[in-house]
Amino acid sequence: MADQNKTDTDSKFYNEVLSPSELFAARSRSHKIPVRGQKDFFPDDSDEQRQRLEQSLNEHWSLISEERVEKLGNLVKATWIPSENIVELQSPAGKFWQTMGFSAGGKQFLFPEEALYLMECGNVQVFYQELPLSIQDGYETFLYSSTLRLQEYQVFGHLKRLGYLVHRFHPSSETSSYAKQLNLPQSRDRAGKQLKRKRSASPIATSSHTEAQEESTADRMEEDTCGQEGQEDKKLPESHLTISPETSSTQTATASPGNKGGVRTWWMLDDVGERSDHQPASAASRWDFSSISFPDLGSSRERLSSCLVSPDPSLLPGALAVGVCDVDPWRTRINLRDVKMSSKEQMREEEKRRHRSDKDREVRRCSNWAEYRQLMERRQGRRSKGRATHLWDGEVTPLHDPRQPIPTGELLDKISVIKSTHLLEGASRLQASDEWRISFNVYQPDTVADFKKSNPGKPYTRMCVCRCFGDPQYRRLPSTERGMVTRRRLCLLGSKRRLANHLCRRRICSNPSGTTSFDGPVPDLRAIKQLAFQSGDVPVVFAVVDYGDISFYTFKDFQLPTDVFP
Amino acid sequence: MMDHKASVPAQTEGMEQGPPQVLEISDSAPPQVLGVSDSAPPHVVGVSRCDSAPLLWRDQDLKAVRGRGLVGALLGALPRTPRQNGRLGRPLLLLPEEERLLTELHATANANQGGGGVQLSLQVKQHLEEQERSLEEQRVLALQDRKSALLHAMTSSHTGSLGPSEALRGRLEALHRSFTFPRGAMAVQLSTARAGLHHCHEDRAFLRAQQPITAQHDSKAAARYQVFRDLRGQGFYLTSAGKFGGDFLVYPGDPLRFHAHFIAVVLSLDSSLSPLDVLAIARLGSNVKKTVLLCSPGGVQYPGGAGGVQYTSLQWSGMV
């Protein structure tokens, strides 16, 4: 090997430019990779082994030294625009355009990582100042720690080579934390996209009623505006069909209690919105209707004044003014007739009422809430007599009254002092940090066929490339501050303190010029929470680059199962 | 530690003529630590920095580094089949220890500067001229190719005695007249390493400067380096062992042909190790059929004065 070096280093040491005849010959070269044989266990200085090693090395170097040669006609020409950190295409894009790049102002652009990857694949030739950039130029000009780190590109390239679709993650494209707190319906185009895919898979299923009900009306409206000409006519009547029962039911539901003139339409809208969200349960939890009182218009016994006072303006949104509401026109629209009951039913009613009043005579005697509460306390005390009442006397009481029978599961839940929390709990309050950010959206390879850049849909995962300790960004901090960072992290980790301590120690004394992120920090709970919240329902995967090796790991919410026999 | 710093590269050759990128150090005090020192060519490796990572780009540099028994890690897509991860291609990323070893042997040069600045219009002109020349030459080659193919086809099928030579000549002339070689069919090279250094004369002066690449080394890095140097000096090949939870994977021979035998974990002599960590690493080592080596520099003193490294191996012993 070395001898070979000596002979040809002198002649063409750094000269890796191919001559025209070499270029021409390269057009018909093989695309196979030699198979690696079984490795030996230990070098025994045998000729046989030496020969095998030499052969492997020769194969290795022939692979490594091979230069990319492409036909000019197959290359897409592009130019590097350093001011924008972007690559502009000069000739029509190739097949890659389906999954990469973006257009703006009538021009086609590639992000640096995409351009570099395509350069490495031999699809794009990037020029700067009229000169073609080598792969080395590409690495050195495109990859810069402030914009795109080498490690990020390593992860990008690794995933791309595996066939995944990898796109930059833009925090703005995600629903803001404010929108999440408001529990707004999720981005509609996304749901619509999934719908389309479903449809293409089984066209007959669309007409089935159950699915039609699942489809949100909002989605459909969105799709209609998108202009799916072929399906539009077919879909519209169908959507009316599903909308009408919903709206009618909401009308009947809201007309009787909600008599506040202008408010009515809001309720209705809200109701529809809830339905389109597919999660009535969570939406309902926002409104505790038992605590919102509605005037009982139908009651004939206690006549209300014919006018309702205007609501408290502090409860109304901004510019809205709601005046006094006249109830009479509404009253004419509802059924005010008394319920006619048979004598038997009447008797039963009477019985019930008497029973209730008997039982609650004491309650009736109470003139205000304080008295009522005292009464209830007294009753409670009487009931728990003889059952270690003193336990209930103090401020600290047992978690459960043994006389109240509840299922074991609930009981376990009730008496658990430390409640388990979810990953997303309290995450909305966390501020985004610079240290941890999501770099890429990753889509699975099998979605390539119907992938649309304009409407990419929900990613398979989101990728966070771990920073390493030797990172220039990190190194810029003075050493004292570095200590601060680690200490803060320590506090946050709490129970994981030992591990963190260990890791921090390693980190502090690791080589600052090292490029492995194995020496870098492990994301703390705060970072995990924050990223998980930012990512929504898409899992966040952390990529760790150790020189050539890339490892991926992810944190998952885990609920300890409680094994309860019913 | 050996005193390599004393021997500064005495002279550089080929400064004015030819393709002058060669930086030969006439005598860089052959490093005795390295088993392969006598056969390693004394040539300077151009290390370029990309986002602070030391990368090697030139084919010859890669070979030279491997000749010194340094493995590194390949990062780029393989030109032949770029869309796979099994075998990767240039650039080669150096471990910090590998970089430091090369620096101490004065075998690295910062090769980051290059390209721009120098008579851009001239470069562009040169590039275009080269491309035209290449097109013309490839046209000639393609024509030759076609002619020989035609010749082959005619002579093999036309075995008749009825003067094939005239017909053949006619066909060949027709081909010669009608042959076109479209620009799109021209093969172009997408260079891996930068070739721009051709034109930049001031860069060579820059290459001469030996720079200490990382000024401060803390204790952990120093320990790692000492272990690395010691093991390499004994002829072992080392790669990073992040995936095995250690510092280095230790191969008895070139990793292309041999499996790693050891997982080296670097620990300073006075540092304490929790039993949990010992259990974890020993268990892992036994699972992947490798021996765990705890390496602590500074324990032994070799006669030469160089600090040795104390090795302790861990074995999982199941007592029944």
Side-chain angles (χ1 to χ4, degrees), chain A residues 307-345:
Chain A
C307 278
L308 288 177
V309 285
S310 56
D312 186 352
S314 68
L315 298 175
L316 292 174
L320 199 83
V322 178
V324 177
C325 178
D326 186 13
V327 201
D328 277 336
W330 292 101
R331 215 173 256 157
T332 58
R333 295 202 207 172
I334 56 175
N335 185 2
L336 287 171
R337 273 178 297 170
D338 276 337
V339 182
K340 284 211 180 85
M341 286 187 283
S342 65
S343 54
K344 225 180 199 174
E345 281 176 323

Tab-separated table of all heavy atoms in Angstrom, chain A residues 307-345:
chain	number	residue	atom	x	y	z
A	307	CYS	N	-88.526	40.571	30.515
A	307	CYS	CA	-87.259	40.985	29.922
A	307	CYS	C	-86.085	40.400	30.714
A	307	CYS	O	-86.134	40.337	31.936
A	307	CYS	CB	-87.135	42.509	29.933
A	307	CYS	SG	-88.010	43.257	28.569
A	308	LEU	N	-85.062	39.979	29.990
A	308	LEU	CA	-83.835	39.537	30.646
A	308	LEU	C	-82.842	40.689	30.601
A	308	LEU	O	-82.665	41.329	29.561
A	308	LEU	CB	-83.230	38.341	29.913
A	308	LEU	CG	-83.977	37.026	30.073
A	308	LEU	CD1	-83.308	35.964	29.230
A	308	LEU	CD2	-83.977	36.602	31.534
A	309	VAL	N	-82.178	40.890	31.704
A	309	VAL	CA	-81.203	41.985	31.735
A	309	VAL	C	-80.021	41.616	30.839
A	309	VAL	O	-79.726	40.448	30.626
A	309	VAL	CB	-80.709	42.252	33.182
A	309	VAL	CG1	-81.780	42.970	33.957
A	309	VAL	CG2	-80.301	40.959	33.843
A	310	SER	N	-79.358	42.640	30.377
A	310	SER	CA	-78.216	42.368	29.493
A	310	SER	C	-77.078	41.726	30.296
A	310	SER	O	-76.904	42.034	31.470
A	310	SER	CB	-77.717	43.658	28.847
A	310	SER	OG	-77.397	44.573	29.857
A	311	PRO	N	-76.330	40.842	29.673
A	311	PRO	CA	-75.265	40.149	30.412
A	311	PRO	C	-74.129	41.087	30.818
A	311	PRO	O	-73.947	42.158	30.235
A	311	PRO	CB	-74.774	39.106	29.412
A	311	PRO	CG	-75.201	39.592	28.077
A	311	PRO	CD	-76.432	40.400	28.278
A	312	ASP	N	-73.414	40.638	31.786
A	312	ASP	CA	-72.257	41.386	32.282
A	312	ASP	C	-71.271	41.626	31.136
A	312	ASP	O	-70.791	40.676	30.521
A	312	ASP	CB	-71.578	40.532	33.375
A	312	ASP	CG	-70.456	41.304	34.057
A	312	ASP	OD1	-70.129	42.408	33.576
A	312	ASP	OD2	-69.940	40.789	35.061
A	313	PRO	N	-70.990	42.879	30.830
A	313	PRO	CA	-70.114	43.144	29.667
A	313	PRO	C	-68.719	42.530	29.814
A	313	PRO	O	-68.053	42.253	28.820
A	313	PRO	CB	-70.030	44.677	29.620
A	313	PRO	CG	-70.588	45.157	30.906
A	313	PRO	CD	-71.484	44.103	31.447
A	314	SER	N	-68.303	42.289	31.039
A	314	SER	CA	-66.955	41.713	31.208
A	314	SER	C	-66.897	40.283	30.683
A	314	SER	O	-65.821	39.737	30.451
A	314	SER	CB	-66.552	41.751	32.680
A	314	SER	OG	-67.354	40.856	33.411
A	315	LEU	N	-68.067	39.673	30.527
A	315	LEU	CA	-68.085	38.301	30.034
A	315	LEU	C	-68.164	38.245	28.516
A	315	LEU	O	-68.038	37.173	27.917
A	315	LEU	CB	-69.277	37.546	30.621
A	315	LEU	CG	-69.293	37.385	32.141
A	315	LEU	CD1	-70.581	36.741	32.582
A	315	LEU	CD2	-68.107	36.544	32.589
A	316	LEU	N	-68.411	39.392	27.908
A	316	LEU	CA	-68.602	39.385	26.460
A	316	LEU	C	-67.306	39.732	25.754
A	316	LEU	O	-66.487	40.473	26.269
A	316	LEU	CB	-69.668	40.424	26.083
A	316	LEU	CG	-71.086	40.100	26.550
A	316	LEU	CD1	-72.007	41.264	26.260
A	316	LEU	CD2	-71.598	38.855	25.870
A	317	PRO	N	-67.107	39.181	24.569
A	317	PRO	CA	-65.915	39.554	23.808
A	317	PRO	C	-65.994	40.998	23.334
A	317	PRO	O	-67.091	41.521	23.090
A	317	PRO	CB	-65.936	38.583	22.624
A	317	PRO	CG	-67.332	38.131	22.515
A	317	PRO	CD	-67.937	38.194	23.887
A	318	GLY	N	-64.885	41.581	23.174
A	318	GLY	CA	-64.609	42.965	22.779
A	318	GLY	C	-65.764	43.874	22.424
A	318	GLY	O	-66.386	44.472	23.291
A	319	ALA	N	-66.023	43.957	21.123
A	319	ALA	CA	-66.873	45.032	20.636
A	319	ALA	C	-68.351	44.673	20.677
A	319	ALA	O	-69.175	45.405	20.138
A	319	ALA	CB	-66.473	45.385	19.207
A	320	LEU	N	-68.689	43.596	21.286
A	320	LEU	CA	-70.081	43.134	21.211
A	320	LEU	C	-70.930	43.804	22.293
A	320	LEU	O	-70.542	43.876	23.447
A	320	LEU	CB	-70.103	41.615	21.400
A	320	LEU	CG	-71.383	40.977	20.909
A	320	LEU	CD1	-71.298	40.744	19.416
A	320	LEU	CD2	-71.616	39.676	21.641
A	321	ALA	N	-72.051	44.291	21.856
A	321	ALA	CA	-72.984	44.880	22.829
A	321	ALA	C	-74.286	44.102	22.778
A	321	ALA	O	-74.857	43.920	21.702
A	321	ALA	CB	-73.227	46.349	22.496
A	322	VAL	N	-74.714	43.610	23.899
A	322	VAL	CA	-75.961	42.860	23.955
A	322	VAL	C	-76.928	43.607	24.867
A	322	VAL	O	-76.617	43.851	26.037
A	322	VAL	CB	-75.731	41.435	24.492
A	322	VAL	CG1	-77.057	40.694	24.586
A	322	VAL	CG2	-74.769	40.676	23.612
A	323	GLY	N	-78.023	43.962	24.292
A	323	GLY	CA	-78.996	44.744	25.062
A	323	GLY	C	-79.916	43.860	25.878
A	323	GLY	O	-79.694	42.663	26.012
A	324	VAL	N	-80.935	44.497	26.404
A	324	VAL	CA	-81.953	43.765	27.168
A	324	VAL	C	-82.734	42.882	26.206
A	324	VAL	O	-82.985	43.256	25.068
A	324	VAL	CB	-82.893	44.774	27.849
A	324	VAL	CG1	-84.003	44.046	28.574
A	324	VAL	CG2	-82.107	45.651	28.801
A	325	CYS	N	-83.029	41.670	26.661
A	325	CYS	CA	-83.678	40.728	25.750
A	325	CYS	C	-85.141	40.551	26.146
A	325	CYS	O	-85.453	40.246	27.299
A	325	CYS	CB	-82.948	39.393	25.816
A	325	CYS	SG	-83.696	38.146	24.781
A	326	ASP	N	-85.971	40.721	25.160
A	326	ASP	CA	-87.400	40.519	25.411
A	326	ASP	C	-87.718	39.044	25.219
A	326	ASP	O	-87.459	38.474	24.165
A	326	ASP	CB	-88.200	41.373	24.427
A	326	ASP	CG	-89.669	41.300	24.762
A	326	ASP	OD1	-90.004	40.813	25.868
A	326	ASP	OD2	-90.469	41.706	23.912
A	327	VAL	N	-88.255	38.425	26.244
A	327	VAL	CA	-88.427	36.979	26.211
A	327	VAL	C	-89.752	36.570	25.595
A	327	VAL	O	-89.897	35.458	25.092
A	327	VAL	CB	-88.326	36.390	27.627
A	327	VAL	CG1	-87.995	34.928	27.566
A	327	VAL	CG2	-87.306	37.119	28.449
A	328	ASP	N	-90.710	37.471	25.615
A	328	ASP	CA	-92.059	37.087	25.223
A	328	ASP	C	-92.164	36.431	23.847
A	328	ASP	O	-92.807	35.383	23.731
A	328	ASP	CB	-92.988	38.304	25.312
A	328	ASP	CG	-93.454	38.461	26.749
A	328	ASP	OD1	-93.440	37.427	27.469
A	328	ASP	OD2	-93.789	39.582	27.157
A	329	PRO	N	-91.546	37.017	22.802
A	329	PRO	CA	-91.656	36.333	21.492
A	329	PRO	C	-91.132	34.914	21.529
A	329	PRO	O	-91.649	34.040	20.831
A	329	PRO	CB	-90.823	37.201	20.565
A	329	PRO	CG	-90.056	38.144	21.425
A	329	PRO	CD	-90.811	38.276	22.697
A	330	TRP	N	-90.139	34.674	22.332
A	330	TRP	CA	-89.601	33.318	22.430
A	330	TRP	C	-90.596	32.400	23.114
A	330	TRP	O	-90.726	31.241	22.767
A	330	TRP	CB	-88.295	33.320	23.228
A	330	TRP	CG	-87.191	34.012	22.506
A	330	TRP	CD1	-86.726	35.263	22.721
A	330	TRP	CD2	-86.459	33.489	21.408
A	330	TRP	NE1	-85.741	35.573	21.840
A	330	TRP	CE2	-85.551	34.480	21.009
A	330	TRP	CE3	-86.483	32.268	20.714
A	330	TRP	CZ2	-84.678	34.302	19.959
A	330	TRP	CZ3	-85.607	32.100	19.687
A	330	TRP	CH2	-84.709	33.110	19.304
A	331	ARG	N	-91.254	32.971	24.110
A	331	ARG	CA	-92.155	32.132	24.892
A	331	ARG	C	-93.301	31.610	24.035
A	331	ARG	O	-93.798	30.520	24.246
A	331	ARG	CB	-92.700	32.960	26.052
A	331	ARG	CG	-92.898	32.121	27.287
A	331	ARG	CD	-93.261	32.988	28.440
A	331	ARG	NE	-92.149	33.161	29.335
A	331	ARG	CZ	-92.019	34.172	30.157
A	331	ARG	NH1	-92.927	35.142	30.171
A	331	ARG	NH2	-90.994	34.249	30.956
A	332	THR	N	-93.679	32.428	23.066
A	332	THR	CA	-94.770	31.954	22.214
A	332	THR	C	-94.334	30.777	21.373
A	332	THR	O	-95.142	30.023	20.881
A	332	THR	CB	-95.224	33.078	21.258
A	332	THR	OG1	-94.081	33.469	20.486
A	332	THR	CG2	-95.791	34.256	22.019
A	333	ARG	N	-93.047	30.609	21.187
A	333	ARG	CA	-92.588	29.539	20.317
A	333	ARG	C	-92.406	28.214	21.044
A	333	ARG	O	-92.190	27.195	20.399
A	333	ARG	CB	-91.223	29.904	19.721
A	333	ARG	CG	-91.295	31.100	18.812
A	333	ARG	CD	-90.111	31.072	17.882
A	333	ARG	NE	-89.769	32.414	17.447
A	333	ARG	CZ	-88.682	32.687	16.742
A	333	ARG	NH1	-87.843	31.720	16.455
A	333	ARG	NH2	-88.436	33.915	16.367
A	334	ILE	N	-92.419	28.262	22.330
A	334	ILE	CA	-92.189	26.985	23.025
A	334	ILE	C	-93.465	26.485	23.667
A	334	ILE	O	-94.423	27.243	23.904
A	334	ILE	CB	-91.073	27.110	24.089
A	334	ILE	CG1	-91.388	28.222	25.074
A	334	ILE	CG2	-89.734	27.323	23.447
A	334	ILE	CD1	-90.411	28.319	26.210
A	335	ASN	N	-93.430	25.237	23.924
A	335	ASN	CA	-94.603	24.562	24.484
A	335	ASN	C	-94.717	24.886	25.975
A	335	ASN	O	-93.890	24.454	26.769
A	335	ASN	CB	-94.408	23.055	24.272
A	335	ASN	CG	-95.624	22.300	24.719
A	335	ASN	OD1	-96.612	22.900	25.152
A	335	ASN	ND2	-95.540	20.983	24.615
A	336	LEU	N	-95.746	25.664	26.304
A	336	LEU	CA	-95.897	26.077	27.697
A	336	LEU	C	-96.996	25.307	28.417
A	336	LEU	O	-97.311	25.581	29.569
A	336	LEU	CB	-96.206	27.572	27.765
A	336	LEU	CG	-95.024	28.494	27.445
A	336	LEU	CD1	-95.494	29.915	27.322
A	336	LEU	CD2	-93.957	28.366	28.509
A	337	ARG	N	-97.569	24.380	27.693
A	337	ARG	CA	-98.701	23.677	28.307
A	337	ARG	C	-98.238	22.808	29.470
A	337	ARG	O	-97.135	22.262	29.435
A	337	ARG	CB	-99.389	22.810	27.256
A	337	ARG	CG	-100.445	23.585	26.498
A	337	ARG	CD	-101.050	22.695	25.463
A	337	ARG	NE	-100.084	22.286	24.485
A	337	ARG	CZ	-100.295	21.360	23.563
A	337	ARG	NH1	-101.472	20.728	23.536
A	337	ARG	NH2	-99.372	21.022	22.700
A	338	ASP	N	-99.110	22.675	30.451
A	338	ASP	CA	-98.795	21.796	31.577
A	338	ASP	C	-98.814	20.358	31.121
A	338	ASP	O	-99.532	19.996	30.199
A	338	ASP	CB	-99.840	21.952	32.687
A	338	ASP	CG	-99.496	23.124	33.581
A	338	ASP	OD1	-98.285	23.472	33.604
A	338	ASP	OD2	-100.400	23.690	34.187
A	339	VAL	N	-98.023	19.588	31.785
A	339	VAL	CA	-98.010	18.166	31.467
A	339	VAL	C	-99.239	17.544	32.118
A	339	VAL	O	-99.481	17.714	33.310
A	339	VAL	CB	-96.721	17.503	31.995
A	339	VAL	CG1	-96.695	16.031	31.618
A	339	VAL	CG2	-95.490	18.215	31.458
A	340	LYS	N	-100.001	16.838	31.274
A	340	LYS	CA	-101.187	16.173	31.845
A	340	LYS	C	-100.782	14.810	32.343
A	340	LYS	O	-100.170	14.029	31.613
A	340	LYS	CB	-102.253	16.052	30.764
A	340	LYS	CG	-102.959	17.350	30.485
A	340	LYS	CD	-104.399	17.088	30.046
A	340	LYS	CE	-105.119	18.396	29.761
A	340	LYS	NZ	-104.864	18.865	28.374
A	341	MET	N	-101.111	14.554	33.598
A	341	MET	CA	-100.713	13.265	34.151
A	341	MET	C	-101.951	12.493	34.595
A	341	MET	O	-102.951	13.080	34.990
A	341	MET	CB	-99.786	13.472	35.353
A	341	MET	CG	-98.394	13.899	34.949
A	341	MET	SD	-97.257	13.961	36.305
A	341	MET	CE	-97.711	15.464	37.096
A	342	SER	N	-101.794	11.215	34.555
A	342	SER	CA	-102.889	10.384	35.050
A	342	SER	C	-102.900	10.470	36.578
A	342	SER	O	-101.937	10.932	37.193
A	342	SER	CB	-102.682	8.938	34.595
A	342	SER	OG	-101.511	8.436	35.220
A	343	SER	N	-103.981	10.030	37.169
A	343	SER	CA	-104.096	10.144	38.625
A	343	SER	C	-102.995	9.357	39.317
A	343	SER	O	-102.460	9.757	40.342
A	343	SER	CB	-105.465	9.653	39.096
A	343	SER	OG	-105.669	8.338	38.609
A	344	LYS	N	-102.702	8.201	38.723
A	344	LYS	CA	-101.661	7.366	39.309
A	344	LYS	C	-100.323	8.114	39.334
A	344	LYS	O	-99.636	8.178	40.349
A	344	LYS	CB	-101.518	6.092	38.480
A	344	LYS	CG	-101.420	4.843	39.343
A	344	LYS	CD	-101.283	3.650	38.430
A	344	LYS	CE	-101.639	2.368	39.178
A	344	LYS	NZ	-101.655	1.205	38.263
A	345	GLU	N	-100.034	8.681	38.171
A	345	GLU	CA	-98.765	9.405	38.068
A	345	GLU	C	-98.753	10.583	39.026
A	345	GLU	O	-97.741	10.857	39.683
A	345	GLU	CB	-98.563	9.929	36.637
A	345	GLU	CG	-98.089	8.846	35.696
A	345	GLU	CD	-97.991	9.378	34.275
A	345	GLU	OE1	-98.847	10.202	33.875
A	345	GLU	OE2	-97.068	8.962	33.571
